[in-house]
Amino acid sequence: MMMTSHIHQSRYRVTLPGGRKVDIRTQEGVHACLKESAFCKDYVSTTLQDAIQIRQKAELDQEDKNCLTQAYTLMHFLSLNADTNTNILLEGIRESDIHVWYNDIAIDEIKKLSTKPSWVLTGILDIFEESVLNPCTTLACHAVPVAIALEGEFFQVLANFIRARQGGSSLPAPMICTQINSIIFWSLSVATTRFDPCWSKEKYFDTLESSGMLEQFLRVVTVPQFPESDTLMSNVLDTLASCRDLLSKKFKKGTPCGDTLRAIAEGKDGSKTERPVIMQRLRGLVGLVDMMKPMDDSVLKSQQCGHCGKSGTSKEFQLSLLLCSRCRLTRYCSKECQRADWKEHKKNCVPATSKPGAEQKPPAST
């Protein structure tokens, strides 16, 4: 027999032991709920198990959809309003139930959505369908859920979900792209700063690449979204640009990420409506990868000025070349040549380490 949840007429109000009602849309309400640890854990378990039973039905009526929305809403607001700097979320949710959320609900639902004709043709979800992505976005702000998502098949399923659009030739609607990009931004931040031990940025992106999600992220990030997203996504792309070893291996021609990146830069893939700030960084990635191509012995023996082309094989000349301190790849025979070349060079000058949103200025030479 299906157990009943404690969410009453408003799906946002939870009745705690003793009769107190709290609003889970607020941080105060969520923390009060999570502090009732035993109650909250059982409440979440019951709600998720109810959702699993309902989802086994061949057809869902409106009452079924309302019950599922309540379950999705619960996971969304608990993770949205729980303090991300502590483990308070785990005081009210069992780790096993986070596995249940991803493996038995979210992943299964996203797989089903991937095959829906309306999704394949339009890239749009209705409000009920979209609600399953909301908890995935907010759970990405917490360490344990991110670890579960990265170590499981969540990102592979998400990549296939994007790829399902017209056989991979089209992209999701902007709102869906915003949710996907938020998952990437927060999971990167959490994995590299809050894991114990922290992941390197290279390990994070390598994991995304193995799942196929990094290639799809390059496509999704081209879709214009809200203005603040430019800064967040620039941060992600600048971090990716600093992973030189990964770029040299996973972004060369003939690789999924390398070919997709070049297709986007050439206007053959990605959004038809250009996103200037992001496109500048993606084209910069292409230039960076191209500059990292292995050079033959003759080039290695005779590096030349990036502006005037002056070259030489003598040890004195090689040692006199000035290295761009920003990208640390291009060399110049003089400061005058570097200044003269900056207008063109800055188009492909991606910093080895960078701060998002930093203004581009001619770098000093070393």
Side-chain angles (χ1 to χ4, degrees):
M1 180 177 178
M2 191 186 308
M3 301 175 69
T4 56
S5 74
H6 298 259
I7 300 181
H8 296 286
Q9 291 181 353
S10 170
R11 68 181 58 145
Y12 307 115
R13 296 187 70 81
V14 176
T15 302
L16 301 178
R20 178 189 174 190
K21 293 182 174 64
V22 297
D23 189 337
I24 59 173
R25 291 173 297 180
T26 68
Q27 190 173 68
E28 179 184 4
V30 163
H31 283 197
C33 191
L34 293 173
K35 287 177 181 178
E36 294 284 352
S37 182
F39 161 80
C40 192
K41 287 178 178 178
D42 290 343
Y43 171 35
V44 170
S45 294
T46 297
T47 303
L48 293 181
Q49 291 304 317
D50 287 354
I52 290 171
Q53 290 186 42
I54 290 171
R55 293 187 66 258
Q56 292 173 352
K57 295 183 178 182
E59 295 290 336
L60 301 180
D61 58 26
Q62 191 57 49
E63 183 178 353
D64 293 330
K65 291 183 178 181
N66 289 341
C67 288
L68 289 176
T69 301
Q70 288 180 350
Y72 302 163
T73 297
L74 174 67
M75 294 298 289
H76 170 61
F77 281 112
L78 286 181
S79 53
L80 174 67
N81 289 314
D83 187 352
T84 59
N85 294 315
T86 67
N87 286 324
I88 192 172
L89 184 68
L90 293 183
E91 291 183 22
I93 302 179
R94 296 181 179 92
E95 186 172 333
S96 60
D97 281 328
I98 298 176
H99 281 277
V100 168
W101 165 257
Y102 279 110
N103 298 327
D104 298 330
I105 297 178
I107 287 175
D108 189 53
E109 188 62 33
I110 293 171
K111 284 180 178 179
K112 289 182 178 179
L113 291 173
S114 299
T115 64
K116 287 197 66 173
S118 59
W119 169 254
V120 173
L121 292 173
T122 69
I124 297 173
L125 302 177
D126 63 32
I127 294 176
F128 169 69
E129 293 168 338
E130 191 177 319
S131 64
V132 76
L133 293 177
N134 295 333
C136 298
T137 303
T138 50
L139 283 166
C141 299
H142 299 271
V144 170
V146 171
I148 291 171
L150 285 169
E151 292 166 3
E153 63 171 332
F154 174 74
F155 282 101
Q156 180 181 347
V157 170
L158 193 61
N160 291 336
F161 173 64
I162 301 166
R163 195 180 289 114
R165 282 282 293 119
Q166 295 282 16
S169 63
S170 298
L171 289 164
M175 182 58 69
I176 308 299
C177 291
T178 296
Q179 289 177 298
I180 293 169
N181 287 337
S182 295
I183 291 171
I184 299 300
F185 175 83
W186 287 112
S187 61
L188 167 63
S189 175
V190 168
T192 55
T193 62
R194 296 186 211 152
F195 275 14
D196 185 17
C198 290
W199 278 21
S200 67
K201 55 197 174 183
E202 290 82 2
K203 181 176 181 179
Y204 174 83
F205 284 118
D206 189 59
T207 301
L208 279 197
E209 191 276 335
S210 298
S211 71
M213 188 60 219
L214 185 53
E215 174 193 356
Q216 296 306 315
F217 167 69
L218 295 172
R219 302 178 65 240
V220 168
V221 79
T222 65
V223 177
Q225 292 150 51
F226 60 95
E228 294 81 0
S229 177
D230 281 353
T231 300
L232 300 182
M233 293 304 101
S234 293
N235 189 325
V236 176
L237 293 173
D238 287 346
T239 304
L240 176 60
S242 69
C243 301
R244 299 301 171 88
D245 188 53
L246 181 136
L247 291 178
S248 67
K249 296 176 181 177
K250 306 292 187 178
F251 280 74
K252 57 187 178 183
K253 287 185 178 180
T255 63
C257 287
D259 290 348
T260 297
L261 180 63
R262 284 170 175 77
I264 292 170
E266 295 168 3
K268 298 175 182 177
D269 199 347
S271 173
K272 303 304 179 187
T273 304
E274 189 164 301
R275 192 178 183 185
V277 172
I278 298 303
M279 287 304 301
Q280 180 183 16
R281 278 175 164 75
L282 291 174
R283 291 184 180 117
L285 276 176
V286 174
L288 177 60
V289 173
D290 286 346
M291 285 191 288
M292 295 168 66
K293 290 178 182 177
M295 295 181 289
D296 60 36
D297 290 343
S298 63
V299 175
L300 288 172
K301 291 178 181 177
S302 179
Q303 297 190 50
Q304 61 184 23
C305 175
H307 178 62
C308 70
K310 182 179 179 181
S311 63
T313 58
S314 70
K315 182 178 180 180
E316 291 76 14
F317 177 78
Q318 295 295 310
L319 291 175
S320 71
L321 289 173
L322 303 173
L323 179 67
C324 173
S325 63
R326 193 167 188 269
C327 69
R328 304 200 68 81
L329 290 171
T330 304
R331 298 175 185 273
Y332 297 96
C333 65
S334 66
K335 290 183 178 180
E336 289 73 22
C337 273
Q338 184 185 23
R339 294 192 189 99
D341 190 49
W342 175 243
K343 184 175 181 180
E344 288 300 316
H345 177 60
K346 69 179 179 181
K347 297 176 183 178
N348 294 321
C349 184
V350 180
T353 56
S354 61
K355 295 180 180 180
E359 181 183 358
Q360 281 194 325
K361 296 179 180 179
S365 299
T366 58

